[in-house]
């Protein structure tokens, strides 16, 4: 936020001449000037907080997108189960992030590993953070948990969702966000004390690593330890498609996520009223916000089109579900560098992200890895590519505007390899941290028989066995409408005199 000039009565008095009331006039002028300056400052805070709150609402709306995407990607018999887990991610994540998560992530001043202030939002609001910042970061935390739920869908006990969601949003995710986004974090490009990682810090502007890789790697371990769904691979090991029951819900969820990504990426600037003090008065952080929305759009669109034609060549048909996943893969990849790359580079990002997702899916099939939503491949694989992409294509001018002057930038843009090295370290550390925390958690849940549902529940569907009924009512539940015992409904065949029973 730009600072306003100050007014000093002592300095102003000589400029008013030797009049008897010069001192009083100077005091009056400075008083009015200070009041006006305070009003501008308050207005700037209000604008920035409103911008952040609106961005938080957009990111939270992504939960509805996750819910619709998950519901459409599973079989109808598990619809209520997966939708309830999405509600649980938000609810359990809200409490755990309020009590512990926010403090672990942003509780500075602290060490480079973990925060230690603001438990239960104590001392909030402060000069550093307001309530709007907490709400925005909570929406990010539950997004990571939502990613994981897709990987272990259709076979996981409800209590396991409750345990892993609270642990992920209250501890695992906040630690990573502290490393990369806190001003105290050891890998943060915004670090204000101590040396920067490779004199650069890791640039993960909106969370290709912090959010998407964390959720994707957690889902990877959950799905690996739990094993594939019954029937996903036949006795000879060949893949058997267990298709979701509603492409309509998949498309609806994808568009809702697309809409929410405009809060996810552009909103990560946190403020919009900052001036870059250039000769062009029309150019400031508001321009960078718009550019970030453009790069986000182009990466997703390119990935969707690349997936469309690639899958047409590989499998021989146009598949809307694959296109939706490709689109989301492009978004996950561009999230890291969306603020520091040119629009043309975003097209490169989306193109490669599409092939990363296709390659990860082929590898998963060979390894008999079952992820109903391709969440581990999409968010983990494309998120990792996004971090590498930033290290290659980050532009000098944008890095200096968003972070600080003199910082290393992309290797392909002439900035050397320091930023790329920092990005590689971030990928390795995130993979190691999530594996060391979420892997043992899922293993312990399995040993305690709290992870996977019984074979009978899985075959019948958890909606009926665990949640009291199916999500869809196919007939009137009024008993008066039920046919009497022994009655068989028949259909009339115009070409046959003898009606045949419906099978």
């Amino acid at each position: 936020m730009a600072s306003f000039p100050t007014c000093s009565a002592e300095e102003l008095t000589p400029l008013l001449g030797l009049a008897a009331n010069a001192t009083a006039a100077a005091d009056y002028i400075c008083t009015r000037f200070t009041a006006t300056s305070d009003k501008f400052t308050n207005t700037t805070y209000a604008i920035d907080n409103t911008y952040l709150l609106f961005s938080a609402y957009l990111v939270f709306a992504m939960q509805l997108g996750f819910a619709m995407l998950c519901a459409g990607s599973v079989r109808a018999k598990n619809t209520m189960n997966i939708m309830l887990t999405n509600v649980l991610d938000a609810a359990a994540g809200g409490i755990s992030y309020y009590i512990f998560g926010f403090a672990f992530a942003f509780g500075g001043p602290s060490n480079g590993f973990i925060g230690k202030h603001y438990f239960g939002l104590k001392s909030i609001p402060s000069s550093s953070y307001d309530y709007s910042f907490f709400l925005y970061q909570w929406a990010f935390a539950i997004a990571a948990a939502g990613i994981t739920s897709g990987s272990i869908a259709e076979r996981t006990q409800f209590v396991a969702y409750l345990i892993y969601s609270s642990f992920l949003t209250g501890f695992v995710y906040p630690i990573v966000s502290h490393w990369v986004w806190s001003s105290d974090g050891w890998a943060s490009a915004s670090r204000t004390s101590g040396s920067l990682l490779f004199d650069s810090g890791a640039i993960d502007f909106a969370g290709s690593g912090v959010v998407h890789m964390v959720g994707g790697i957690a889902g990877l371990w959950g799905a690996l330890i739990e094993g594939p769904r019954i029937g996903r691979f036949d006795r000879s090991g060949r893949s058997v498609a267990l298709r979701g029951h509603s492409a309509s819900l998949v498309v609806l969820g994808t568009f809702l996520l697309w809409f929410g990504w405009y809060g996810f990426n552009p909103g990560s600037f946190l403020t919009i009223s900052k001036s870059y003090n250039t000769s062009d008065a029309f150019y400031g952080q508001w321009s960078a916000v718009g550019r970030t929305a453009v790069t986000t759009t182009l990466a997703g669109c390119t990935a969707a089109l690349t997936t469309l034609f690639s899958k047409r060549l590989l499998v021989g048909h146009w598949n809307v579900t694959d296109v939706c996943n490709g689109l989301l893969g492009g978004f996950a990849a561009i999230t890291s560098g969306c603020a520091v790359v040119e629009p043309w580079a975003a097209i490169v990002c989306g193109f490669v992200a599409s092939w990363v997702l296709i390659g990860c899916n082929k590898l998963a099939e060979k390894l008999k890895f079952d992820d109903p939503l391709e969440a581990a491949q999409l968010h983990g694989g494309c998120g990792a590519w996004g971090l590498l992409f930033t290290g290659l294509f980050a532009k000098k001018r944008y890095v200096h505007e968003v972070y600080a002057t003199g910082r290393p930038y992309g290797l392909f843009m002439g900035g050397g390899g320091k930023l790329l090295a920092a990005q590689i370290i971030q990928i390795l550390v995130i993979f190691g941290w999530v594996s060391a925390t979420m892997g043992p958690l899922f293993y312990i849940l399995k040993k305690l028989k709290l992870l996977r549902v019984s074979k009978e529940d899985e075959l019948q569907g958890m909606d009926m066995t665990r949640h009291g009924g199916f999500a869809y009512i196919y007939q009137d539940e009024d008993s008066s409408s039920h046919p009497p015992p022994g009655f068989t409904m028949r259909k009339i065949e115009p070409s046959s005199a003898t009606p045949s029973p419906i099978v």
Side-chain angles (χ1 to χ4, degrees):
M1 183 178 62
S3 59
F4 291 93
T6 58
C7 180
S8 170
E10 290 79 6
E11 296 177 356
L12 184 59
T13 299
L15 301 177
L16 298 177
L18 301 176
N21 59 352
T23 300
D27 288 336
Y28 175 79
I29 293 172
C30 284
T31 299
R32 301 306 300 169
F33 181 87
T34 301
T36 303
S37 175
D38 290 343
K39 190 62 109 175
F40 275 114
T41 301
N42 294 341
T43 301
T44 303
Y45 274 120
I47 291 172
D48 287 339
N49 270 277
T50 300
Y51 173 72
L52 188 57
L53 278 172
F54 182 71
S55 298
Y57 303 152
L58 285 176
V59 177
F60 178 69
M62 295 176 78
Q63 290 299 117
L64 178 57
F66 279 126
M68 295 299 100
L69 182 69
C70 289
S73 299
V74 302
R75 290 164 291 180
K77 62 183 181 180
N78 293 310
T79 305
M80 285 182 64
N81 174 263
I82 195 66
M83 301 233 336
L84 185 56
T85 62
N86 276 270
V87 176
L88 177 66
D89 287 335
I95 300 301
S96 60
Y97 198 72
Y98 163 75
I99 298 174
F100 304 109
F102 185 79
F104 289 153
F106 298 101
S110 65
N111 56 62
F113 179 78
I114 189 171
K116 57 183 181 181
H117 300 286
Y118 305 132
F119 291 98
L121 294 187
K122 184 179 181 181
S123 302
I124 297 289
S126 68
S127 59
S128 301
Y129 305 119
D130 208 333
Y131 291 110
S132 56
F133 184 73
F134 164 80
L135 193 72
Y136 188 67
Q137 296 301 332
W138 160 72
F140 270 61
I142 61 176
I147 292 168
T148 306
S149 67
S151 295
I152 57 177
E154 295 202 283
R155 58 205 191 273
T156 306
Q157 291 192 45
F158 195 69
V159 66
Y161 282 110
L162 181 63
I163 294 171
Y164 100 78
S165 181
S166 299
F167 184 62
L168 183 67
T169 55
F171 182 68
V172 178
Y173 166 84
I175 299 300
V176 179
S177 59
H178 179 81
W179 295 346
V180 181
W181 287 341
S182 170
S183 59
D184 299 311
W186 64 268
S188 175
S190 303
R191 191 173 189 182
T192 56
S193 61
S195 59
L196 294 168
L197 180 64
F198 295 112
D199 298 320
S200 168
I203 293 180
D204 189 7
F205 184 74
S208 288
V210 175
V211 178
H212 295 283
M213 274 196 69
V214 168
I217 299 304
L220 170 69
W221 284 107
L224 278 175
I225 292 171
E226 203 166 17
R229 291 167 291 173
I230 296 174
R232 179 64 178 86
F233 299 96
D234 64 18
R235 292 181 179 180
S236 63
R238 290 177 299 182
S239 174
V240 177
L242 301 179
R243 299 192 182 280
H245 79 282
S246 176
S248 300
L249 288 178
V250 170
V251 173
L252 174 61
T254 300
F255 272 111
L256 286 169
L257 288 169
W258 189 341
F259 180 66
W261 235 291
Y262 292 125
F264 206 93
N265 287 3
S268 290
F269 279 97
L270 307 181
T271 63
I272 195 173
S273 61
K274 178 182 177 181
S275 171
Y276 288 151
N277 297 319
T278 64
S279 57
D280 299 321
F282 58 82
Y283 183 78
Q285 191 141 292
W286 47 89
S287 302
V289 167
R291 183 182 67 246
T292 299
V294 170
T295 57
T296 300
T297 302
L298 292 176
C301 292
T302 304
L305 292 173
T306 304
T307 304
L308 174 69
F309 292 105
S310 299
K311 296 295 286 188
R312 176 67 174 83
L313 293 173
L314 292 172
V315 300
H317 58 264
W318 316 96
N319 190 307
V320 66
T321 303
D322 289 336
V323 171
C324 288
N325 283 338
L327 176 82
L328 298 176
F331 287 151
I334 194 61
T335 296
S336 169
C338 55
V340 294
V341 299
E342 290 278 16
W344 65 262
I347 294 176
V348 177
C349 178
F351 178 81
V352 177
S354 171
W355 284 105
V356 168
L357 179 58
I358 291 172
C360 288
N361 284 334
K362 287 291 184 181
L363 180 62
E365 187 174 316
K366 286 185 176 297
L367 297 177
K368 297 181 177 57
F369 173 78
D370 181 23
D371 184 330
L373 273 86
E374 302 176 6
Q377 302 95 295
L378 192 160
H379 298 277
C382 293
W385 154 242
L387 291 173
L388 295 175
F389 162 78
T390 304
L392 297 172
F393 289 95
K395 185 176 179 179
K396 178 180 180 179
R397 177 186 178 185
Y398 300 154
V399 171
H400 292 177
E401 287 173 351
V402 176
Y403 293 96
T405 57
R407 294 289 182 85
Y409 47 100
L411 176 64
F412 290 169
M413 309 301 287
K418 289 186 175 181
L419 176 58
L420 180 60
Q423 302 298 94
I424 293 173
I425 292 297
Q426 184 185 351
I427 293 172
L428 296 176
V429 169
I430 288 177
F431 183 86
W433 169 251
V434 178
S435 299
T437 51
M438 296 302 295
L441 175 67
F442 283 120
Y443 183 76
I444 291 171
L445 290 175
K446 180 179 180 179
K447 288 299 182 181
L448 295 176
K449 302 187 183 303
L450 296 175
L451 184 59
R452 187 159 186 158
V453 298
S454 66
K455 179 180 179 180
E456 292 73 20
D457 285 352
E458 188 173 343
L459 290 174
Q460 292 182 48
M462 286 180 283
D463 285 4
M464 179 58 70
T465 62
R466 299 287 178 125
H467 302 291
F470 293 119
Y472 305 103
I473 299 176
Y474 297 101
Q475 63 183 17
D476 194 343
E477 290 188 345
D478 185 353
S479 59
S480 62
S481 65
H482 292 173
F487 178 82
T488 303
M489 295 186 66
R490 298 174 179 270
K491 63 182 179 181
I492 298 175
E493 297 285 355
S495 60
S496 174
T498 303
S500 57
I502 295 178
V503 179

